[in-house]
Amino acid sequence: PPPRRSGAVMNRIGPNAILQLVPVLDQVLGPRHRDELLAAAGIACLPDGTSMVDEVPVARLHQALRRRWPGEAADIAARAGRGTGDYILANRIPGAAKRILKVLPAGLRARVLARAIAKHAWTFAGSGRFRVVSSDPPVFEIARNPVVRNEHAPAPICVWHAQVFERLYRALVADDYRATETDCGAVHGEVCRFALTRLGQPG
């Protein structure tokens, strides 16, 4: 189970922020470059997946990928985000809950899923502050997102987060959802905002 929040800021994040990235790095860049990125992030051994991990080396890994492999980083992060979504679907959502969701109207499914994501925001937000701006259509914010903290970019870069959200909504609500990061802490230094829209509907 996740550690309880106390008066101290939680600075740990779910292990899939690393574990789902590694196999994609192997496939796209190869083991040698994967090891170089892990070393640059100060990650000497991979987490076993049973507990939270320090968000600082996670941030260093994602940022080292964007800095050293700018042409490949977005695709790698997207694939890792979808892998994280697949892991959550397979291991963190009970079958009974999936069956109940399937019989609800799409709008209600979207609202229920937004509440569930907020309840488990520690898995991807770490010490950042997560907020559901709207549950239908879904709009999420992460203030002080640790994965991009102190990073600067000309355009939004939180592809991993966006693809986690998109994968969950496509699997559990409707398969035509698309997630877009409309604002990014690395661009304006404030919040990362993610909007989920259905294809063919106004965003």
Side-chain angles (χ1 to χ4, degrees):
R4 295 176 180 269
R5 284 189 183 271
S6 64
V9 174
M10 187 163 76
N11 61 353
R12 301 182 74 74
I13 198 167
N16 278 293
I18 296 175
L19 292 176
Q20 297 300 326
L21 195 63
V22 167
V24 186
L25 292 174
D26 282 347
Q27 294 164 13
V28 178
L29 304 180
R32 180 171 67 86
H33 293 306
R34 174 253 290 158
D35 288 343
E36 290 172 354
L37 287 169
L38 291 172
I43 299 172
C45 59
L46 295 178
D48 62 11
T50 63
S51 59
M52 304 281 280
V53 298
D54 186 346
E55 69 184 25
V56 173
V58 170
R60 287 198 298 250
L61 177 60
H62 283 254
Q63 293 176 14
L65 170 63
R66 288 189 284 267
R67 185 174 61 253
R68 297 185 179 203
W69 297 90
E72 293 80 8
D75 177 62
I76 290 172
R79 291 167 63 177
R82 290 191 291 272
T84 300
D86 286 339
Y87 177 89
I88 293 169
L89 290 166
N91 298 280
R92 292 292 180 260
I93 301 177
K98 294 177 188 176
R99 289 191 292 272
I100 291 171
L101 277 171
K102 288 296 184 183
V103 302
L104 297 176
L108 183 53
R109 288 201 300 271
R111 292 192 290 274
V112 170
L113 184 54
R115 289 197 296 271
I117 287 172
K119 184 178 179 180
H120 296 90
W122 46 268
T123 60
F124 54 81
S127 62
R129 297 189 302 276
F130 180 82
R131 181 169 76 99
V132 176
V133 178
S134 169
S135 57
D136 185 22
V139 179
F140 305 135
E141 283 185 354
I142 304 174
R144 292 186 55 77
N145 182 354
V147 179
V148 297
R149 192 172 296 154
N150 300 320
E151 195 169 4
H152 302 283
I157 55 175
C158 300
V159 181
W160 178 74
H161 289 86
Q163 287 302 305
V164 173
F165 299 143
E166 182 174 301
R167 180 70 184 99
L168 294 176
Y169 272 84
R170 284 192 166 193
L172 297 174
V173 182
D175 63 5
D176 60 348
Y177 266 100
R178 178 182 62 195
T180 303
E181 188 181 17
T182 59
D183 203 356
C184 184
V187 178
H188 296 120
E190 296 177 2
V191 300
C192 300
R193 175 176 283 213
F194 305 88
L196 285 112
T197 55
R198 298 187 65 177
L199 298 179
Q201 297 185 5

